[in-house]
Every structure is written in C-alpha cells, then in structure tokens.
Amino acid sequence: MASAAAVDTMPDALRQSRYHMKRCFARFIGKGRRLMKLQHLQDEIEQTIEDKVERSKVLEGTLGDILSSTQEAAVVPPNVAFAIRHNPGIWDYVKVDSESLSVDIITSTDYLKFKEMVIDENWAKDENALEIDFGAFDAATPKLALSSSIGNGLGYISKFMTSMLSGKTESAKPLIDYLLTLERKGEKLMINETLNTVAKLQEALVIAEVYISALPKDTPYQNFEQRLKEMGFEKGWGENAERVKQTMRILSEIIQAPDPASMEAFFSRLPAIYNIVIFSVHGYFGQADVLGLPDTGGQVVYILDQVRAMEEELLSRIKQQGLNVKPQILVVTRLIPDAKGNKCNQEIEPIENTTHSHILRVPFNTEKGVLGPWVSRFDIYPYLEKFSQATIAHALEKSKYEDSDVKWRDLDSKYHFSCQFTADLIAMNAADFVITSTYQEIAGSKNRPGQYESHVSFTMPGLYRAVSGINVFDPKFNIASPGADQSVYFPLTEKQKRLTKFQPAIEELLYSKEDNDEHIGYLADRKKPIIFSMARLDIVKNITGLTEWYGKNKRLRTLVNLVIVGGFFDPSKSEDREEMAEIKKMHSLIEKYQLKGHIRWIAAQTDRYRNGELYRCVADTKGAFVQPALYEAFGLTVIEAMNCGLPTFATNQGGPTEIIVDGVSGFHIDPNNGDESSNKIVDFFEKCKTDGRYWNRISQGGLKRINECYTWKIYANKMLNVGSAYGFWRQLNKEQKQAKQRYIDIFYNLQFRKMAKNFTISVEESKTAAPSKTSKSRIPPQPPAAKAEAAGNAAAMAEDGKSKAIQKLDYSRINRAPCACHWFCLCISSSIVIYALVKLYGMFK
C-alpha cells in the first residue's frame, strides 16, 4: 500500500520513468473519456511495456505502490484523475497531465466532477448541481485515527467520555444530568432530583456504600429500598446488596478517576433498554416455510435468532437491575395478503421460544388499497412512507454492482438505485450508531473498499453529488458478529443430540435416483464425500459459479460429489428476475458438463432443524461446505456449517475472511478465480486421503473459532452495551445531532420523497388486495425526524404481549408523543435486513 506521503513524490517517480509513462498515459487517453479500474490500468501498462524486466523496474518503488493502490481512474483527455486508497478509509485524489506528466492533488469534489465528465458533461459543469456534504456537520465529532481501529466505536467513545469527565469534580455533571433522565413509565430510576449535583451524589454514594456493606450480600433490594430512597437513590442499582454495592462503587470510581473499562462496565448496568423494535420490510418474514422464497434467506433466521438472544439478555439484565419489568421485542415487517403456505398474511404472530417477542405485519398501502403480492426489495421504496416513518436501510447494494452510482440511469429501471442509495445515505447519517457483523462491511480489505466506505464520496449525475457521504472513522461504527442457534446447529459428534428422525428423509433427499419436485440429478457413487452449498440462486451468491468450477475440474469430480440446495427447478415458478436467469444457467451447466451422476440439485429447504441435520449428514461423509459468493457481507451459512463441524471453504470477498482463519479453521477461496478455488478444494480432499486426522483437525479448528467469537450470547451482550453507552453519547452531542437532523430532513423532503413519488411499479396497478381493517393503521408520511416515534407506534402493544391487544392499537396516538424514545439506533447488518433498535418511554400501555 502506498502511504499518503507517497503522493507527494509521485511527480519525481513519473519523471524517472518519463519515457514509459508518457507512452502509458498516451494509451490511457487514446480511447477518449472513460472510467478505468485497477485491472484496466495494469492491463494497459502491461501491453505498453511488454518487457517484463523493464516493466518491473518501472513499477518498483513509489510509482508501483501508488498505481497498485489506485481504485479507479477517470480519463478526461489530456488529464487522468486517480482515486488512490492508501489504507481502508484513507484516500487521496490526484490529476496527472498526460503530456507534461505534471501532478496536482485535487479534492474529492474535483475527482467526482472528472467522473461526471465521462458520463454527463453538462451535469459536471452545472454550477447549480446539488452537492451533499454531511461531513460539514461532523467537524466537531472526534474521529478514530487508525484504519485498524475502524469499528471500535464503543471503545473509542468510552475513552473520549473518560477524558471529558476527568479533571475537576464538576466535569462529571453531564453524567449526573443523564442519570436524572432515566425513568420507566414516569417512575424515576437510579437517582432523583435530591442528588442533582456531583458533590451531593458523591457524598450519598459514600454513605450508601457504608450502609450496604453492613448487609448480607444476598439481601434483596426491596429490604433496603426505602432507606436508599431517603438518600436520593431509586431502583435500578441491582437486585441485591452485593450488586448494588458493585454498581455504586463503579460510579464512585468514575466520578473520582474515570477510565474506559469502568465507563463501559457502568453503562452496561444501567436500566436504559427494555423495548426493541426491529424493522425488516423486504421479502417474506416468517418463522416457517419462507426460506428460499424471493429476497428471503439468512436474514430471517438471523433476526429470529437475534430476537431470542436479545430477549434472554434483556431478561437477565433486568433481573440483575432489581426491576420488575417485562421487556418487549417487536419485529415489524410487511403484511403480504397474497402469501400462501406461510403466515406472512397474519398480522400478529408470537415468536417461538420467546415470552415477550412478536412479529407485527403492517401492509403496504396504495391509493387503491392494500398491496396484495410480494414485491422485490428493489421496488419497495414508494411504499415505505406509508409503511413507517422510521429511518430505513438494508444491506448495501452499492458495492455489489460496479459503477452503479455514476451509471445509475442504466440500472434504475431494474434496481431503482436512485432511491436505494439515497435511502442508505439518509439512514447511515441519521443513525446514532451502526452495528455491522464484520470490519469488511465498514472498511473492506486491503484491496477492496467496504460497503460503507463506498459511500464516503460518490456521484449520481443528474441527481446529486455526495462530496462527503459518510466517514468510516466516525465512532458510530461498531462490530458485533452474530452466531447461529446452537440448539439447531451443533457438532456431528454430539450423537445424543442428533435429530435422527430426519435422517431417512435426508437419505432420500441426497441419494434417491428419482427426480421429483424436491430434487433432480443423482449421485452415482455415494461412497464419495460431498461438497455442499446452500444459498439463494442469485448472481452474487455464485452457485452457478461453483457448479461450473466443479464441471471444469475433472480431479474434483473424481474425488467428491456436489450437492446444491437452492431455488426452484422451473424458472417460471420464480418471481425474481435474477433467480430465473440463474435457474436457466444451472440447467445449461449440468447439460454442458454432463454432471448427471455427479450432482444433486435440491430445491430450497425451509426447515432449519432438518437443514441442521443435513449439514451433519454431509459431515458424516467427510465432506465440506463451500460458500462461493462474489461478495458476502457476513456469511450466516458459514457459521452454521462450522457449528456443525463441517470443514468450510468460503469466499475471500467479505466477512468470511474474518470468520475463518485460512488453513486453520477453514479455507478462503477466490470467487473470481474458479481454477484456483477448485484446486484448493481438491488439495484438501487429497490431503485427507493421506492424513486421516486432517479432516478432524480442520473440523475442530472451525468449532473452536465459533465458540470463541461467534455466539449469540456474545452478540447480545455487545449490542446492549453499545445501546446503553450511546444513550449518553447522544446527549453529549445533542446540539450537533439536531443540526445534522435538520439537514437530513431537508434532503429527505426535497430529494428522496420526490424520487419515491415518481417511482412506478406495474404490480400496484393490478394487484391490490381488498381493503381490510389493517389499512386503517396506515401511518401518514413524515420526515425522518419522526423515525423513533414511528418505531414506538409499531410497538404499542399490550404489556402482556397477547395478540388480541394488537387489534386495539391506536397508531396515531404515538405519532407526536414527546417522549417517544430516549435514543435511537440503526444497525445495518450482514444480510438484506433493516434494523431500528429503539428505547421507548411509556409506549407500552
């Protein structure tokens, strides 16, 4: 990687190789205006300097470093503008004159204009072109400095808050003010107005600790509650004398000499979160018979497992706080009246294996009534305002489609990126904090920008120029990796837990030689290990890519069988454009490489318990799981397979590179190099033949990695810790947050709403459901400032959580509730999923 300082030496480096560089730049501009990626630059340099030795000399040192760090170049003769990424999140932009080889450092705005000149010269030269600069509102926000620190927002703000509270005793006053805001349904928590100064609180803490120390450790809080109340303390310190004393001691230490560890420990104990609302509006959100349907995959499993883990952690914390509170978790999704074979047309549904969690389905409304059928995730934008006022985002598509921003017009009729990227930009800037599953989602890898990083600056000619979209060094970014349900996905070696009732069906699923509606193809030699993949059939998941690798590699076909689980067999049964094309491609590949007898293609499976046993049955064959996606933000199936003890090969593009330690707990494969990837799989199975312990070694390595880093308990603990700490952080930055929100409101109302209004989908014209009582719950359009209020609206259900209470909801009564929330969090995760994590006051009547 080139350093930022290396750009300063670029003129000298070009002059030292002036002859060759003149020829290279002449070639660059010879084809006129265009955008060039790194590979294009390298190919044209190779074609210009044909001698390998000479080329190596030219590209050694600074010049080679700079060129290899270039992500993109915009050619506008006689100039070539370069976007140089030194490290994750660290960019420079330079302009090189192809004739003189003079170098000028330019701004991101200048670089975006160069790109626009390639696509739309009139827009590039328009002095009135709309520029969006969110960075102007974040100037006062402290930022992380190192690329390696990106995503460690909680650790950073804990250090920063520590520095703010250090020094004079009165420095702790903001913390006292924050504690005074904590309440539950009008009942004060932690402290009351009696302790409204640092000095008063310090003195009371000393007296209280002396008093509590004389009590037995397990003395219930109720036994000394009245005495503490007389001192100015309220509920929330702990369930017994020992817990109360520990919490008070931590606070005393923070007031006297704060440190980051104490700050995190204290906020993790605060009674600040009871109610969580999760938004997931695309696809079919249900608990059964939905996996494999369009836009419906791992994100559904992810959220349901997340809900169970969060409820368990909330109940544990509330008990430790000494409170008698019932938490509520609500997953708000869309109602699909035309849904068949599942419950996505049911308004309210309790979530299995929980006590206080429900799914609430709200319809998409149109002028003609409730929208009946499913619609693609790319087509939902016209309905979102009528669905909810919450800030909404989803898995970021921008980084998945090359040049999808600058060439948005070419793709908008199919993917509606104009709405999508604008919604993403609004959501990530409105969020108090963002939770991702991996570092790569934020800042990518050495050679590839992350999903969020791709929004640092970009342009959509004709719409707007985002000169400062998001800053990945912002401490709002945090990483909390999910797990898999370990009651479903457990090691094959745990024989007593094996779900043997599914094994006859799985035997038929894998080895029956008859084609039917559930499987086609057959495995002629069932003694061979199985390589197995399970995913939706879309381009990014690259299942057809894996099938082609297998078809091309004769050694691999000799060693193993291939089993694919995903999609339909008949493209006419799919409603998804990409899936239909991929289904046709699968059939053509099976025919082209004559894979009958080598491949079993199984239709999408919706029973996760049977899927768990399927992973283990594949492991019984000493097989492996392969996840070949062109890009995978996280990789839930990777976690599931490793939980089951199945050695796993996963894409090196995205989150799986963080999950798997290559060669230790699994293997990385390059989805863009099928020959190399398939040979790596061959090498594994050949080594297993010569070393009988090798398969078990990789299997155990995967299990060890999962238990150390990827469990739902770890996730839920981190998530709630982040939420609690950012409540105080939000208060410290209240004025700045309000100013930025006003800017977001303007952008939302003047840009996004107009685009959504002009959005047309044919399905709306002909496929609306009959009006129903649910259409009365339509929430009127509001700007993002009301986002938390809408979350409260969706969550206004009876405390006992019974379904009948939902029928009595008065949605409108919460729209302008002044205390709709104390803090709001948006977490955009690894899948196509929408999160809003909200602390609600008084909304559960």
mmCIF file of all heavy atoms in Angstrom, residues 141 322 371 374 409 609 636 690 844:
data_model
loop_
_atom_site.group_PDB
_atom_site.id
_atom_site.type_symbol
_atom_site.label_atom_id
_atom_site.label_comp_id
_atom_site.label_asym_id
_atom_site.label_seq_id
_atom_site.Cartn_x
_atom_site.Cartn_y
_atom_site.Cartn_z
ATOM 1 N N THR A 141 -17.094 16.328 15.746
ATOM 2 C CA THR A 141 -17.139 14.974 16.307
ATOM 3 C C THR A 141 -15.749 14.364 16.294
ATOM 4 O O THR A 141 -15.091 14.343 15.258
ATOM 5 C CB THR A 141 -18.085 14.080 15.485
ATOM 6 O OG1 THR A 141 -19.392 14.647 15.486
ATOM 7 C CG2 THR A 141 -18.146 12.675 16.079
ATOM 8 N N GLY A 322 -32.700 -5.458 39.418
ATOM 9 C CA GLY A 322 -33.666 -5.458 40.505
ATOM 10 C C GLY A 322 -35.007 -4.876 40.111
ATOM 11 O O GLY A 322 -35.745 -4.374 40.977
ATOM 12 N N LEU A 371 -51.635 -3.398 -0.809
ATOM 13 C CA LEU A 371 -50.923 -4.145 -1.846
ATOM 14 C C LEU A 371 -50.917 -5.625 -1.480
ATOM 15 O O LEU A 371 -50.493 -5.994 -0.385
ATOM 16 C CB LEU A 371 -49.499 -3.620 -1.979
ATOM 17 C CG LEU A 371 -48.679 -4.200 -3.131
ATOM 18 C CD1 LEU A 371 -49.237 -3.716 -4.465
ATOM 19 C CD2 LEU A 371 -47.216 -3.795 -3.005
ATOM 20 N N TRP A 374 -46.170 -10.018 -2.985
ATOM 21 C CA TRP A 374 -44.781 -9.676 -2.659
ATOM 22 C C TRP A 374 -44.246 -8.754 -3.740
ATOM 23 O O TRP A 374 -44.626 -8.856 -4.919
ATOM 24 C CB TRP A 374 -43.961 -10.966 -2.625
ATOM 25 C CG TRP A 374 -42.480 -10.753 -2.709
ATOM 26 C CD1 TRP A 374 -41.627 -10.521 -1.680
ATOM 27 C CD2 TRP A 374 -41.671 -10.759 -3.903
ATOM 28 N NE1 TRP A 374 -40.348 -10.381 -2.145
ATOM 29 C CE2 TRP A 374 -40.336 -10.512 -3.505
ATOM 30 C CE3 TRP A 374 -41.940 -10.920 -5.251
ATOM 31 C CZ2 TRP A 374 -39.282 -10.452 -4.412
ATOM 32 C CZ3 TRP A 374 -40.902 -10.859 -6.163
ATOM 33 C CH2 TRP A 374 -39.591 -10.623 -5.737
ATOM 34 N N ARG A 409 -28.500 5.630 -14.116
ATOM 35 C CA ARG A 409 -29.592 5.717 -15.088
ATOM 36 C C ARG A 409 -29.758 4.400 -15.860
ATOM 37 O O ARG A 409 -30.884 4.004 -16.195
ATOM 38 C CB ARG A 409 -29.316 6.850 -16.076
ATOM 39 C CG ARG A 409 -29.536 8.256 -15.512
ATOM 40 C CD ARG A 409 -29.459 9.268 -16.648
ATOM 41 N NE ARG A 409 -29.652 10.633 -16.209
ATOM 42 C CZ ARG A 409 -28.667 11.483 -15.943
ATOM 43 N NH1 ARG A 409 -27.412 11.077 -16.051
ATOM 44 N NH2 ARG A 409 -28.922 12.719 -15.560
ATOM 45 N N TYR A 609 -34.337 -27.092 11.205
ATOM 46 C CA TYR A 609 -33.903 -28.238 12.006
ATOM 47 C C TYR A 609 -33.416 -29.361 11.093
ATOM 48 O O TYR A 609 -32.386 -29.996 11.363
ATOM 49 C CB TYR A 609 -35.052 -28.720 12.910
ATOM 50 C CG TYR A 609 -35.341 -27.758 14.035
ATOM 51 C CD1 TYR A 609 -36.307 -26.762 13.895
ATOM 52 C CD2 TYR A 609 -34.619 -27.821 15.226
ATOM 53 C CE1 TYR A 609 -36.565 -25.862 14.915
ATOM 54 C CE2 TYR A 609 -34.872 -26.925 16.264
ATOM 55 C CZ TYR A 609 -35.843 -25.945 16.104
ATOM 56 O OH TYR A 609 -36.080 -25.056 17.113
ATOM 57 N N LEU A 636 -23.845 -16.225 7.091
ATOM 58 C CA LEU A 636 -24.521 -16.997 8.125
ATOM 59 C C LEU A 636 -24.392 -18.493 7.889
ATOM 60 O O LEU A 636 -24.213 -19.273 8.831
ATOM 61 C CB LEU A 636 -25.995 -16.593 8.185
ATOM 62 C CG LEU A 636 -26.779 -17.081 9.402
ATOM 63 C CD1 LEU A 636 -26.156 -16.578 10.692
ATOM 64 C CD2 LEU A 636 -28.230 -16.657 9.311
ATOM 65 N N THR A 690 -4.425 -38.863 2.549
ATOM 66 C CA THR A 690 -3.095 -39.267 3.011
ATOM 67 C C THR A 690 -2.901 -39.053 4.511
ATOM 68 O O THR A 690 -2.032 -39.659 5.120
ATOM 69 C CB THR A 690 -2.010 -38.477 2.256
ATOM 70 O OG1 THR A 690 -2.202 -37.074 2.465
ATOM 71 C CG2 THR A 690 -2.086 -38.778 0.763
ATOM 72 N N PHE A 844 -45.724 1.357 25.897
ATOM 73 C CA PHE A 844 -46.388 0.065 26.069
ATOM 74 C C PHE A 844 -47.459 0.233 27.150
ATOM 75 O O PHE A 844 -47.164 0.187 28.335
ATOM 76 C CB PHE A 844 -45.374 -1.005 26.476
ATOM 77 C CG PHE A 844 -44.446 -1.360 25.366
ATOM 78 C CD1 PHE A 844 -43.505 -0.447 24.919
ATOM 79 C CD2 PHE A 844 -44.532 -2.592 24.753
ATOM 80 C CE1 PHE A 844 -42.655 -0.768 23.892
ATOM 81 C CE2 PHE A 844 -43.678 -2.920 23.722
ATOM 82 C CZ PHE A 844 -42.742 -2.007 23.290
#
